[in-house]
């Protein structure tokens, strides 16, 4: 019995969420006047950068100006990716948000310009509007007539054949009228799958025959002494039974490209292996979408394309981006880098952030500053809650000092490690001794570099200048 109970408990776990580096981010943490709160929606500090990102967010939501580009520049571990995630969370599900790392473009089987084009079109949404004829009403009665031959055959008749042989009548009503509809086998089967019964309010799509159960009629709320927690009571529809309703579908231009590409087809959306899409296909789709816009059937939703580690792009990619941002349907481009003055990939020229000056001139630049000690303490406190780790106040102070002396990322990595060390000694709250233990077990960058400098002669391919003997030992 214990095993059966454990099995039933495990089946109740319908979803397992993994904790990521930015899973605690819920938005930008701004108030109605776009002022940054000290700590809100998982965002800590960086008030000037968050206020600037709030203005960019308003620009994206208006969707009137295309081809704007924003650069998030700052030292490693100052919250550039967190800002981009905050923008994505604040936009919601309606606005497309595509994210790509610059190094991905060089590891795909596609050309660099094709990969960038696909990324651009994943960030442009199309809201397609169409009118559908539906029948909406409250079910008064369902009567199904089974033919004599099928009734005599009983359980030996296949379900599909039995459904095809059935006929029936469905009585629907609104507050103004009541009508009886003749039912065929497919419609009877659809009603059976949805478990429609008298007193339900349903909607029938005339084109596809799809049955949607909207809920139970309020007039039938007293039919039963008790109902399930998921039972929804709705009003009986008003007016005529047959109505025309506007249905909105939201897709991206890239999805339309893949579906209309003969070489790949619809299944490529699930496999991810879309391959190169011909320019002719995209031109035809752009023409069709433009026609839909003129007719009022479709609406363009410019989204956001986020390119992380943008300094990894080469001069060809930057030239392509220069041209792509001038397109009428270009999304808002958000790029991030942690480089200073460095070489532009593919050239011998040096430039700020490794970005060509002509492309830098197009950018609105948002800078992030290093976190203060108080900010690091608040971030570590939020991460402890996110990772479900109870930590004492003294341990948090010690972890904050470690974060100030080393890096915020290293301090965050020690949270779960310290929790496991606490679990090993059968404790419930992480103490200072657990932090000290994992600090000794796992080195940060500074201590690791110091260790390498001390023992560099014992490593292979040592190239540190001033250490004779490393190369001689290898040659001998």
């Amino acid at each position: 019995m214990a095993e059966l109970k454990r099995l039933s408990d495990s089946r109740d776990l319908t979803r397992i969420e993994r904790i990521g580096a930015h899973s605690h981010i819920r938005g930008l943490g701004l108030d109605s006047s776009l002022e940054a709160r000290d700590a809100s929606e998982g965002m800590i500090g960086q008030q000037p950068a968050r206020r600037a990102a709030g203005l960019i967010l308003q620009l994206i939501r208006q969707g009137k100006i295309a081809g704007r580009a924003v650069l998030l520049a700052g030292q490693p571990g100052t919250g550039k990716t967190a800002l981009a995630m905050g923008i994505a969370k604040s936009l919601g599900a309606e606005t497309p948000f595509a994210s790509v790392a610059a190094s991905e473009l060089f590891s795909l089987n596609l050309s660099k310009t094709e990969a960038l084009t696909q990324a651009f079109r994943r960030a442009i949404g199309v809201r397609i509007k169409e009118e559908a004829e539906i029948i909406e009403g409250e079910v008064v009665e369902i009567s199904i007539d089974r033919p004599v031959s099928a009734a005599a055959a009983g359980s030996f008749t296949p379900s599909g054949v039995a459904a095809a042989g059935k006929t029936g009548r469905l009585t629907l009503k609104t507050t103004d009228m009541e009508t009886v509809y003749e039912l065929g086998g497919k419609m009877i089967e659809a009603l059976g799958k949805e478990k429609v019964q008298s007193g339900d309010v349903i909607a029938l799509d005339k084109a596809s025959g799809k049955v949607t159960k909207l809920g139970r009629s309020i007039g039938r709320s007293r039919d039963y002494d008790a109902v399930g927690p998921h039972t929804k009571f709705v009003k009986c529809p008003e007016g005529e039974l047959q109505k025309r309703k506007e249905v909105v579908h939201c897709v991206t231009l890239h999805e339309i490209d893949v579906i209309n590409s003969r070489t790949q087809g619809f299944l490529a959306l699930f496999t991810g292996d879309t391959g190169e899409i011909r320019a002719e296909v995209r031109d035809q789709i752009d023409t069709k979408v433009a026609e839909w816009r003129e007719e009022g059937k479709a609406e363009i939703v410019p989204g956001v394309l986020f390119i992380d580690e943008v300094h990894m792009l080469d001069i060809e990619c930057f030239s392509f981006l220069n041209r792509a941002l001038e397109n009428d349907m270009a999304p808002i481009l958000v790029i991030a880098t942690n480089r200073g003055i460095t070489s532009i990939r593919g050239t011998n020229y040096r430039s700020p952030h490794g970005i060509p000056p002509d492309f830098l001139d197009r950018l609105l630049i948002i800078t992030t500053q290093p976190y203060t000690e108080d900010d690091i303490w608040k971030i570590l406190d939020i991460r402890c809650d996110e990772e479900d780790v109870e930590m004492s106040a003294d341990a948090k102070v010690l972890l904050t000092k470690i974060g100030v002396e080393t890096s915020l990322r290293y301090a965050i990595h020690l949270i779960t490690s310290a929790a496991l060390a606490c679990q090993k000694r059968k404790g419930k709250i992480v103490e200072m001794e657990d932090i000290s233990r994992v600090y000794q077990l796992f080195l940060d960058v500074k201590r690791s570099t110091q260790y390498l400098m001390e023992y560099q002669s014992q490593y292979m391919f040592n190239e540190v200048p001033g250490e004779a003997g490393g190369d001689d030992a290898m040659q001998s």
Side-chain angles (χ1 to χ4, degrees):
M1 291 296 292
E3 291 180 0
L4 288 174
K5 186 177 181 181
R6 200 179 303 118
L7 181 63
S8 64
D9 290 344
S10 66
R11 284 176 179 171
D12 290 339
L13 299 174
T14 56
R15 183 177 64 175
I16 298 175
E17 291 185 358
R18 297 190 67 186
I19 299 170
H22 300 98
S23 56
H24 63 284
I25 303 294
R26 307 283 184 266
L28 286 173
L30 304 174
D31 58 19
S32 57
S33 59
L34 297 182
E35 287 296 321
R37 303 186 185 98
D38 289 338
S40 179
E41 296 181 324
M43 297 293 287
I44 303 293
Q46 305 291 355
Q47 276 90 348
R50 284 158 56 197
R51 283 197 293 269
L55 293 175
I56 299 299
L57 185 66
Q58 292 295 100
L59 183 71
I60 297 166
R61 282 176 174 164
Q62 288 178 2
K64 294 178 181 177
I65 303 176
R68 293 298 172 95
V70 182
L71 170 63
L72 305 177
Q75 299 95 319
T78 53
K80 298 181 294 298
T81 308
L83 269 178
M85 293 300 297
I87 292 173
K89 295 285 185 182
S90 301
L91 286 173
E94 284 290 319
T95 306
F97 184 90
S99 178
V100 64
S103 54
E104 289 179 31
L105 305 180
F106 298 91
S107 59
L108 297 172
N109 295 326
L110 307 172
S111 66
K112 293 173 287 188
T113 54
E114 173 65 19
L116 278 172
T117 303
Q118 291 190 10
F120 262 73
R121 293 176 78 84
R122 274 200 302 271
I124 303 169
V126 183
R127 193 178 286 123
I128 302 171
K129 304 171 187 176
E130 63 176 4
E131 286 191 346
E133 288 191 4
I134 62 167
I135 299 172
E136 191 175 279
E138 179 187 334
V139 178
V140 178
E141 183 185 4
I142 301 177
S143 59
I144 299 172
D145 301 326
R146 184 175 296 181
V148 178
S149 59
S155 60
F156 296 102
T157 306
S159 59
V161 177
K166 292 177 184 176
T167 57
R169 288 177 298 279
L170 172 67
T171 307
L172 291 177
K173 72 168 186 178
T174 64
T175 54
D176 298 338
M177 61 184 298
E178 183 174 319
T179 306
V180 179
Y181 295 94
E182 296 289 334
L183 299 177
K186 288 185 178 180
M187 186 57 70
I188 291 172
E189 192 176 351
L191 291 169
K193 282 182 180 178
E194 290 292 325
K195 298 179 181 178
V196 175
Q197 57 183 347
S198 178
D200 289 340
V201 177
I202 63 171
L204 306 174
D205 190 337
K206 286 189 70 176
S208 62
K210 182 183 177 183
V211 179
T212 306
K213 197 172 177 180
L214 304 177
R216 292 282 297 173
S217 174
I218 291 178
R220 298 292 190 98
S221 60
R222 296 186 180 180
D223 286 5
Y224 304 100
D225 294 334
V227 294
H230 302 294
T231 304
K232 180 182 176 183
F233 289 101
V234 295
K235 291 182 179 180
C236 180
E238 300 177 352
E240 295 188 359
L241 279 162
Q242 189 167 322
K243 302 170 184 175
R244 296 185 68 86
K245 200 170 186 179
E246 190 178 76
V247 182
V248 179
H249 307 283
C250 293
V251 293
T252 65
L253 280 178
H254 178 64
E255 290 170 348
I256 302 175
D257 293 343
V258 173
I259 292 170
N260 287 277
S261 176
R262 292 183 180 178
T263 55
Q264 302 299 327
F266 177 73
L267 292 177
L269 286 175
F270 302 98
T271 62
D273 184 17
T274 57
E276 296 214 7
I277 298 171
R278 291 181 294 111
E280 295 82 2
V281 174
R282 290 198 174 105
D283 291 340
Q284 291 173 5
I285 289 169
D286 290 345
T287 305
K288 193 66 180 176
V289 170
E291 291 178 6
W292 290 344
R293 288 176 67 186
E294 290 179 2
E295 295 171 3
K297 293 181 180 178
E299 181 184 345
I300 296 294
V301 185
V304 179
L305 173 60
F306 175 57
I307 303 179
D308 205 359
E309 306 295 336
V310 75
H311 53 266
M312 293 298 294
L313 295 180
D314 61 11
I315 191 70
E316 296 176 16
C317 295
F318 284 120
S319 299
F320 176 82
L321 288 176
N322 259 326
R323 180 69 184 87
L325 286 175
E326 294 175 355
N327 195 339
D328 293 341
M329 291 200 297
I332 301 292
L333 179 66
V334 180
I335 57 179
T337 181
N338 55 17
R339 294 294 194 270
I341 297 175
T342 185
S343 298
I344 303 169
R345 185 171 180 175
T347 70
N348 296 323
Y349 297 104
R350 293 167 65 83
S351 177
H353 312 298
I355 300 173
D358 59 337
F359 189 68
L360 269 175
D361 194 37
R362 293 179 178 268
L363 303 176
L364 294 171
I365 302 176
I366 300 174
T367 57
T368 55
Q369 305 298 326
Y371 288 109
T372 63
E373 186 173 347
D374 186 43
D375 291 339
I376 291 175
W377 189 92
K378 291 177 181 177
I379 292 170
L380 292 174
D381 187 48
I382 290 174
R383 290 302 301 180
C384 286
D385 292 339
E386 181 73 13
E387 298 178 24
D388 199 16
V389 173
E390 290 189 38
M391 189 176 293
S392 66
D394 293 338
K396 285 181 182 177
V397 170
L398 176 59
L399 194 60
T400 302
K401 288 182 178 178
I402 292 173
V404 172
E405 293 175 1
T406 59
S407 70
L408 175 61
R409 287 172 178 165
Y410 175 72
I412 289 174
H413 287 325
L414 292 185
I415 294 175
T416 303
S417 305
L420 293 173
C422 174
Q423 188 178 350
K424 188 175 180 181
R425 66 174 178 82
K426 297 183 179 178
K428 293 185 178 179
I429 298 177
V430 175
E431 301 289 349
M432 291 179 67
E433 60 182 290
D434 301 313
I435 302 292
S436 301
R437 178 172 174 77
V438 294
Y439 180 74
Q440 293 169 1
L441 288 174
F442 303 103
L443 301 181
D444 58 275
V445 176
K446 291 180 182 177
R447 287 184 293 155
S448 178
T449 305
Q450 184 180 357
Y451 178 85
L452 283 175
M453 295 296 287
E454 290 178 5
Y455 298 98
Q456 58 193 350
S457 60
Q458 300 178 21
Y459 283 80
M460 294 180 63
F461 308 114
N462 172 40
E463 295 182 359
V464 176
E467 285 292 331
D471 293 337
D472 296 340
M474 288 299 298
Q475 290 174 1
S476 62

